[in-house]
Amino acid sequence: MTRRAREAIAEADTVIGYVTYIKLVADLLDGKEVIRKSMTEELDRAVSALEAARAGKRVALISSGDAGVYGMAGPTYEVLFQAGWQPQGDDVQVEVVPGASALNSCAALVGAPLTHDFCAISLSDLLTPWPVIARRLDAAGSADFVVALYNPKSGRRTRQIVEAQHLLLRHRRPDTPVVVVKSAYRRRERIEFTTLQQMADCEIGMLSTVLIGNSHTFVRDGLMVTPRGYTHKYDLAGAGAAPRDGERAGRSLSTGLDGWLQQLREAQARGDSVATLAARHRLPADYIAATLAAAPDTTAPAPDAEAEEAA
């Protein structure tokens, strides 16, 4: 928990939450009114919080991980706006306290699997149609995202994790690294390294988060790591980290946007069709056509501001 989360609970008169989450902060609840709610009663929790706040109580509506990631922040705002609440001038003021989402906690325990682009997908179809989830899984697999699966399996929802495996295997090698983390940083923490081929056979439940690597993710000495891409620009085998031929420190790759656009134009000039270029780069043909039709950007690139980008 963050310090501000502890402070918010300490400042509260009333604490509202799912029964399991209430148990996790039991040592912080002495002298407070506690309202416990069951699973699937998210809207009831938000309504109860609003009613208590309207009655003049200072309310802590608790959520595991980060309240804004599959948590209570969203349904709370929905209930507030439905009730006519306005952020400015209303007696009820709202603060969303940031926390550590499961993907952050799990990643810290197993290495550095999220160092490059990643996405989170919930496999719960209680509120989201399965075709929507399936399209997101397929798109994430095709785009080579590291994928964090939330709500992967429950007592009644057992097939979703198998379907997710099938969809991702359309784009990923069977030996793609996967790690299943249960109850990160809690009493019954359990970590299991596996592969995409074997993922569905693991012990997975609602307290589990599944991290699935991309095409470059590796596991070494019990640690899962996704490279950031430094080897594209630097020769790491020599003394120091000298840029490779054609690359410059602090500038985009030769295959970055500017370099890629130049390559596209040169290929088109050699006679390659839009369809050929689209297939080569696995991008929509209309995007390739529009890119080639756009006037070249002749403005000089500004130095990158962020230290990470300066690489």
Side-chain angles (χ1 to χ4, degrees):
M1 293 178 64
T2 62
R3 175 188 292 182
R4 179 60 195 136
R6 289 181 175 273
E7 290 173 349
I9 293 175
E11 295 165 0
D13 307 307
T14 301
V15 177
I16 301 172
Y18 172 46
V19 289
T20 298
Y21 305 157
I22 291 291
K23 291 178 183 177
L24 291 173
V25 294
D27 59 323
L28 306 178
L29 303 180
D30 287 347
K32 301 183 184 299
E33 177 188 13
V34 178
I35 299 176
R36 298 170 175 82
K37 296 286 184 177
S38 300
M39 181 70 78
T40 74
E41 293 184 343
E42 292 86 358
L43 295 180
D44 287 342
R45 293 177 225 164
V47 169
S48 295
L50 177 56
E51 290 174 347
R54 291 281 191 222
K57 302 288 185 64
R58 183 182 288 268
V59 183
L61 178 55
I62 63 173
S63 189
S64 66
D66 182 282
V69 181
Y70 303 116
M72 284 303 303
T76 298
Y77 278 122
E78 290 183 61
V79 166
L80 286 166
F81 285 126
Q82 186 67 30
W85 174 85
Q86 294 181 329
Q88 306 299 327
D90 199 290
D91 290 340
V92 174
Q93 297 298 302
V94 179
E95 175 188 3
V96 177
V97 178
S101 185
L103 62 83
N104 301 114
S105 300
C106 296
L109 287 171
V110 303
L114 307 179
T115 310
H116 216 315
D117 297 335
F118 63 90
C119 68
I121 299 175
S122 170
L123 295 191
S124 173
D125 55 6
L126 297 178
L127 299 173
T128 305
W130 178 254
V132 173
I133 299 171
R135 286 196 298 271
R136 290 170 179 171
L137 287 164
D138 188 65
S142 174
D144 205 27
F145 280 106
V146 174
V147 180
L149 296 181
Y150 281 68
N151 307 311
K153 189 176 181 180
S154 70
R156 290 179 295 181
R157 293 185 302 99
T158 60
R159 185 172 173 179
Q160 284 80 355
I161 187 68
V162 176
E163 294 299 315
Q165 178 189 46
H166 292 166
L167 285 162
L168 291 171
L169 280 171
R170 296 180 65 249
H171 307 284
R172 305 280 169 91
R173 300 188 317 271
D175 63 349
T176 297
V178 173
V179 62
V180 179
V181 183
K182 175 184 177 182
S183 299
Y185 291 97
R186 295 179 185 170
R187 184 167 55 88
R188 296 181 180 177
E189 176 184 289
R190 184 176 185 274
I191 299 173
E192 181 177 2
F193 286 89
T194 185
T195 64
L196 186 56
Q197 183 69 46
Q198 303 298 323
M199 176 180 76
D201 298 327
C202 295
E203 181 183 316
I204 298 175
M206 282 296 287
L207 298 179
S208 304
T209 303
V210 182
L211 301 179
I212 303 166
N214 68 14
S215 60
H216 299 286
T217 304
F218 63 87
V219 173
R220 185 172 301 166
D221 297 325
L223 296 172
M224 184 177 182
V225 177
T226 300
R228 179 70 174 85
Y230 289 98
T231 56
H232 294 156
K233 181 178 288 189
Y234 298 102
D235 181 4
L236 303 182
R244 296 184 182 278
D245 290 344
E247 306 296 348
R248 295 174 58 196
R251 291 293 182 267
S252 297
L253 282 173
S254 57
T255 52
L257 178 57
D258 292 338
W260 179 70
L261 291 174
Q262 181 62 31
Q263 292 174 18
L264 275 187
R265 297 185 185 102
E266 291 172 355
Q268 185 185 43
R270 291 194 301 267
D272 288 350
S273 67
V274 168
T276 297
L277 294 172
R280 180 180 302 160
H281 297 288
R282 292 185 293 171
L283 288 167
D286 57 351
Y287 170 69
I288 297 292
T291 299
L292 287 169
D297 184 0
T298 58
T299 59
D304 293 321
E306 297 293 337
E308 291 83 356
E309 289 296 315

